Amino acid sequence: MIGLYRLLTRWWTAFALAASLAMLGAAHAFERFAGLAPCNLCLKQREVYWGAAAIALIATLWALISRASRGTPRIAAFLLAAVFATGAITAGFHAGGELKWWDLPAACAAGGDISLEGLTSLALGVGSAPKVAMCDSVAWSWLGVSMAGWNFLISLALAVFSLLAAKRPKDARAPRHVD
């Protein structure tokens, strides 16, 4: 168990990259294959994973190129913690709105498949109304938890793991050069 913890914290940015890409892949799969159009808050939650993937990719490549055999820079883990915490806050706000704990902004009602071509065809009377996803309705749930709720839990876990990786034991940190 300790060996897995050390591996995970040493190469956290590579694991964070894989987790971010997996979450983006799942979101796009739900959209593409299950026909679930994303609302504006769903799209904001995806932006968090794109940002995390960019940070994790750069940090992992830096560690590989610089031959940091003991892991990736701690600053990247702190940045990932901040990004994933932002994702948890956004997803928690979305999930709370779905549960009617608070009202979501009016702008949350304008997500989905809206494009210039679709609006033009609607204005000319030759197209159908675009499908709009509402942020305050639950499109999918599992075990009584909505997609935004699951995203909150996963983002929170990724933020905690990022902090653990940033505060990892001294033997897992990148070696210091002594001149």
Side-chain angles (χ1 to χ4, degrees):
M1 188 68 162
I2 291 175
L4 178 63
Y5 172 77
R6 284 187 178 166
L7 176 69
L8 188 65
T9 57
R10 283 183 187 166
W11 292 102
W12 174 245
T13 56
F15 288 106
L17 175 62
S20 296
L21 294 177
M23 290 298 289
L24 286 167
H28 288 286
F30 273 106
E31 181 180 354
R32 176 86 170 156
F33 302 116
L36 300 177
C39 68
N40 280 340
L41 284 175
C42 294
L43 295 174
K44 295 293 181 200
Q45 292 168 63
R46 289 183 193 182
E47 290 173 8
V48 169
Y49 287 110
W50 282 113
I55 292 168
L57 177 65
I58 291 168
T60 302
L61 288 175
W62 172 261
L64 292 173
I65 290 170
S66 67
R67 295 195 175 133
S69 61
R70 300 184 101 186
T72 53
R74 293 177 62 197
I75 188 70
F78 277 120
L79 287 172
L80 286 169
V83 170
F84 288 132
T86 302
I89 291 167
T90 306
F93 178 71
H94 188 186
E98 289 175 341
L99 294 169
K100 310 295 188 241
W101 291 348
W102 47 74
D103 292 330
L104 295 173
C108 288
D113 299 330
I114 297 176
S115 65
L116 183 59
E117 294 82 19
L119 291 175
T120 303
S121 65
L122 181 63
L124 295 174
V126 295
S128 60
K131 184 179 174 184
V132 177
M134 304 296 283
C135 293
D136 61 351
S137 64
V138 177
W140 177 90
S141 68
W142 184 56
L143 299 176
V145 180
S146 70
M147 196 177 305
W150 283 109
N151 193 14
F152 167 75
L153 295 172
I154 293 168
S155 293
L156 188 62
L158 290 171
V160 168
F161 277 115
S162 295
L163 285 176
L164 289 173
K167 300 295 286 175
R168 65 189 179 263
K170 187 174 183 172
D171 67 335
R173 294 182 191 155
R176 294 183 183 170
H177 297 286
V178 179
D179 294 326

